[in-house]
């Protein structure tokens, strides 16, 4: 499954003045006749995060010994749930239009590319490498701490948003995933332990069930041609020439009363089937040894000079390192969004105040209220259990040209994430920029998280 890809985008979620909000909730309010993202720059999102430690923790000029800081803050300070990662998402094409015959339906389609990498901290293995096993007798160093993932893929999507009535909008989006490459290692099992020996001082035992699954790398490694040929190979995989998968998103917006809205979405319920250019690596078995036992021969001419190789061969026979090309399935990281929003600061009186019927009038002004505040819950399925973020937000509009959204988010990366989003509308031209964890920019080396999104669209709005 993807780890960091498509992280929490709380600034964009339910910011329905921006068409890209449809990618986070296919059932979001759609006050447009049509929209067209400017190709390649309609939506660019860059994110990077590290939990538990920052660059400043290690390299600050604080008079502390660097080795001591590595031992205290990294080796012993981090847990196996701490992670390092980055992701980039580019909205290559994004278009939407309203059905002329069924104006309650709004269709959107396009494609976007994703690149992400995540490494969980392998705590036990780091301690073993830093301290060794001599002073850690009887301690089991778990191999399950080894969890890593990296991938690049292209996503083609088509969605339908329907205004069922004046209180409810529903949406669904189908997706085709075209994987470019992937490498992942998770759900590993086993341990390494050192105990007192019987025939020697120490006895080492390795119990391993470890695997690394990859697709899309071997052809690149074996390719001795020009960079242009490699670029063509990657481009072909991005357009259905690689490993393919299917998925879907669903979402809704429900009006509880005149000013209160409840929204929710479930994203990336799907999978990718990897069968092309697959190479997997496995290490599975159990081995114990007490070192090399040397029996002195009657003459030095009989001394076996291959005793070290015999030891290596014996361990490899018990814990074989093997490769295979078996196909495998990667589940996409399912994401859940839910929010409640309260609008206030009415700018003009509606001509109709009834919100209880089945009328699907689409001419309602989406900017009847100047302000909105509320809360947003985000949960993503991760290899080491669900990961959640909770956001409080406030949004205000200045006329029809400018909208601002401020957020305060609590998640595993930081408890002081203040974000600010700006959406500017100049006639049909739409520009937005969304920045997360603004306090971290005061000292970037001491920041745990950074996120930036921006894009340009052309929008035709519904008549008021």
């Amino acid at each position: 499954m993807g780890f960091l890809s498509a992280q929490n985008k709380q600034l964009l979620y339910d910011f329905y003045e921006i068409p890209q909000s449809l990618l986070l909730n296919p059932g979001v309010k759609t006050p447009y006749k049509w929209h067209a993202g400017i190709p390649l720059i309609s939506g660019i999102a860059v994110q990077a995060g590290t939990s538990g430690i920052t660059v400043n923790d290690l390299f600050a000029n604080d008079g502390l010994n660097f080795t001591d800081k590595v031992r205290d803050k990294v080796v012993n300070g981090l847990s196996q749930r701490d992670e390092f990662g980055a992701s980039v998402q580019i909205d290559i094409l994004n278009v939407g239009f309203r059905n002329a015959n069924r104006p309650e339906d709004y269709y959107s389609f396009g494609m976007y590319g994703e690149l992400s990498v995540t490494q969980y901290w392998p705590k036990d293995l780091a301690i073993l490498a830093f301290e060794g096993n001599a002073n850690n007798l009887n301690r089991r160093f778990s191999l399950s701490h080894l969890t890593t993932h990296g991938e690049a893929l292209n996503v083609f999507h088509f969605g339908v948003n329907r205004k069922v009535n004046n209180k409810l909008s529903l949406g669904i989006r189908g997706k085709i995933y075209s994987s470019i490459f992937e490498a992942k290692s998770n759900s590993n099992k086993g341990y390494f332990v050192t105990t007192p020996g019987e025939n020697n001082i120490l006895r080492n035992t390795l119990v391993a069930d470890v695997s690394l699954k990859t697709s899309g790398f071997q052809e690149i490694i074996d390719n001795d041609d020009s960079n242009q040929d490699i670029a063509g190979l990657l481009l072909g995989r991005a357009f259905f020439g690689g490993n393919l998968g299917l998925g879907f998103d669903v979402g809704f917006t429900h009006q509880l009363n005149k000013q209160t809205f409840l929204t929710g979405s479930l994203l990336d319920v799907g999978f990718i089937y990897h069968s092309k250019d697959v190479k997997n690596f496995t290490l599975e078995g159990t081995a114990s040894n007490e070192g090399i036992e040397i029996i002195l021969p009657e003459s030095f001419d009989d001394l076996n000079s291959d005793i070290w190789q015999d030891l290596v061969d014996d361990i490899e026979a018990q814990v074989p390192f093997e490769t295979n090309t078996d196909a495998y399935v990667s589940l996409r990281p399912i994401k859940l969004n839910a929010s409640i929003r309260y609008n206030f600061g009415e700018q003009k009186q509606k001509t109709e105040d009834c919100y209880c019927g089945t009328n699907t009038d689409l001419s309602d002004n989406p900017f009847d209220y100047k302000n909105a505040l509320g809360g947003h819950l985000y949960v993503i399925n991760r290899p080491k259990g669900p990961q959640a973020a909770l956001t409080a937000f406030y949004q205000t509009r200045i006329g029809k040209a400018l909208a601002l959204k401020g957020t305060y988010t609590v998640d595993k990366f930081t408890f002081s994430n203040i974000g600010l989003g700006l959406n500017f509308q100049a006639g049909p031209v739409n520009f937005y920029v969304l920045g997360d964890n603004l306090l971290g920019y005061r000292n970037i080396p001491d920041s745990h998280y950074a996120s930036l999104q921006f894009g340009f669209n052309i929008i035709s709005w519904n008549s008021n």
Side-chain angles (χ1 to χ4, degrees):
M1 61 179 292
F3 292 176
L4 192 72
S5 61
Q7 272 282 357
N8 186 18
K9 297 179 179 177
Q10 67 273 21
L11 280 163
L12 181 59
Y13 184 81
D14 204 37
F15 205 157
Y16 56 80
E17 291 91 334
I18 304 172
Q20 280 70 23
S21 61
L22 276 162
L23 295 176
L24 302 183
N25 179 5
V28 73
K29 191 172 184 178
T30 55
Y32 337 106
K33 289 181 180 178
W34 58 265
H35 78 269
I38 298 178
L40 298 177
I41 58 171
S42 63
I44 297 176
V46 180
Q47 300 169 325
T50 168
S51 64
I53 194 171
T54 66
V55 173
N56 195 63
D57 290 333
L58 291 179
F59 296 99
N61 186 16
D62 50 15
L64 298 177
N65 182 273
F66 181 77
T67 302
D68 292 339
K69 288 193 285 188
V70 171
R71 181 191 63 233
D72 298 337
K73 297 183 178 182
V74 181
V75 177
N76 295 319
L78 298 179
S79 77
Q80 66 270 23
R81 292 184 176 274
D82 285 311
E83 62 182 284
F84 310 85
S87 69
V88 178
Q89 180 175 309
I90 299 178
D91 204 9
I92 302 171
L93 177 68
N94 194 313
V95 177
F97 63 94
R98 192 164 299 284
N99 188 327
N101 297 320
R102 295 180 58 108
E104 65 271 20
D105 288 348
Y106 191 82
Y107 305 130
S108 60
F109 63 92
M111 61 178 171
Y112 60 87
E114 285 186 2
L115 172 66
S116 67
V117 59
T118 297
Q119 173 65 61
Y120 280 86
W121 180 246
K123 184 177 181 65
D124 275 10
L125 300 181
I127 293 175
L128 178 61
F130 191 83
E131 299 180 358
N133 61 336
N135 296 321
N136 285 294
L137 296 183
N138 300 313
R139 174 172 180 171
R140 289 191 175 188
F141 294 94
S142 176
L143 303 182
S144 67
H145 292 184
L146 181 60
T147 303
T148 187
H149 182 266
E151 71 171 347
L153 74 160
N154 213 23
V155 182
F156 301 84
H157 58 88
F158 177 82
V160 179
N161 176 292
R162 171 168 293 184
K163 185 174 181 180
V164 179
N165 53 48
N166 281 342
K167 296 180 66 176
L168 179 65
S169 293
L170 300 176
I172 186 168
R173 181 174 305 280
K175 292 182 173 180
I176 299 176
Y177 305 107
S178 186
S179 175
I180 301 172
F181 58 77
E182 181 189 56
K184 69 173 185 176
S185 180
N186 57 17
S187 301
N188 294 312
K189 302 176 183 178
Y191 60 86
F192 174 83
V193 63
T194 300
T195 56
E198 297 179 359
N199 301 318
N200 211 330
I201 299 176
L202 300 176
R203 180 182 182 85
N204 298 310
T205 300
L206 175 65
V207 178
D209 184 2
V210 178
S211 67
L212 172 64
K213 297 180 179 179
T214 74
S215 71
F217 287 100
Q218 201 59 42
E219 288 185 15
I220 298 174
I221 295 172
D222 295 339
N223 193 320
D224 296 327
D225 297 329
S226 66
N227 293 332
Q228 184 177 358
D229 292 333
I230 295 177
L233 174 65
L234 298 180
L235 187 62
R237 291 176 179 173
F239 288 86
F240 307 110
N243 295 296
L244 302 179
L246 296 173
F248 68 89
D249 306 335
V250 292
F252 72 92
T253 296
H254 179 58
Q255 189 166 0
L256 299 178
N257 56 47
K258 183 178 179 181
Q259 295 172 252
T260 308
F261 292 80
L262 184 68
T263 78
S265 68
L266 197 63
L267 308 179
D268 282 316
V269 182
F271 67 93
I272 298 177
Y273 180 66
H274 296 267
S275 60
K276 300 177 182 178
D277 195 19
V278 173
K279 189 169 185 179
N280 304 319
F281 305 85
T282 63
L283 185 68
E284 185 175 359
T286 301
S288 294
N289 76 84
E290 297 186 18
I292 300 174
E293 181 181 0
I294 300 177
I295 301 176
L296 293 178
E298 294 181 0
S299 70
F300 286 104
D301 293 336
D302 298 329
L303 183 62
N304 185 355
S305 60
D306 295 328
I307 53 177
W308 285 104
Q309 187 60 48
D310 292 341
L311 175 62
V312 172
D313 293 342
D314 182 56
I315 294 175
E316 288 183 345
Q318 297 178 67
V319 190
F321 178 77
E322 298 178 342
T323 62
N324 64 68
T325 58
D326 298 341
Y328 67 94
V329 174
S330 285
L331 299 179
R332 302 307 300 157
I334 297 176
K335 295 171 280 290
L336 170 70
N337 289 285
S339 78
I340 187 167
R341 172 188 182 118
Y342 177 75
N343 295 332
F344 63 98
E346 191 170 13
Q347 297 187 93
K348 73 175 187 178
Q349 183 66 33
K350 283 179 173 289
T351 58
E352 181 183 4
D353 288 336
C354 177
Y355 294 84
C356 53
T358 58
N359 176 31
T360 57
D361 177 20
L362 294 167
S363 63
D364 292 346
N365 179 7
F367 311 120
D368 284 340
Y369 290 91
K370 180 179 179 181
N371 306 303
L373 58 84
H376 171 216
L377 172 67
Y378 170 82
V379 182
I380 182 172
N381 185 29
R382 305 298 295 275
K384 295 184 181 296
Q387 181 177 312
L390 188 62
T391 298
F393 67 85
Y394 170 75
Q395 183 174 337
T396 187
R397 299 184 180 91
I398 302 174
K400 293 185 179 180
L402 184 63
L404 301 173
K405 184 176 181 180
T407 58
Y408 173 75
T409 301
V410 175
D411 58 23
K412 74 175 294 183
F413 294 101
T414 175
F415 288 167
S416 58
N417 184 348
I418 295 176
L420 180 63
L422 178 149
N423 183 70
F424 182 70
Q425 192 73 36
V429 179
N430 167 257
F431 168 72
Y432 66 93
V433 58
L434 315 171
D436 228 357
N437 198 27
L438 299 182
L439 296 180
Y441 288 92
R442 298 177 302 178
N443 185 358
I444 294 179
D446 198 35
S447 176
H448 286 276
Y449 183 71
S451 171
L452 179 66
Q453 305 169 66
F454 65 91
F456 293 85
N457 299 288
I458 306 298
I459 301 177
S460 176
W461 301 90
N462 275 324
S463 300
N464 294 332

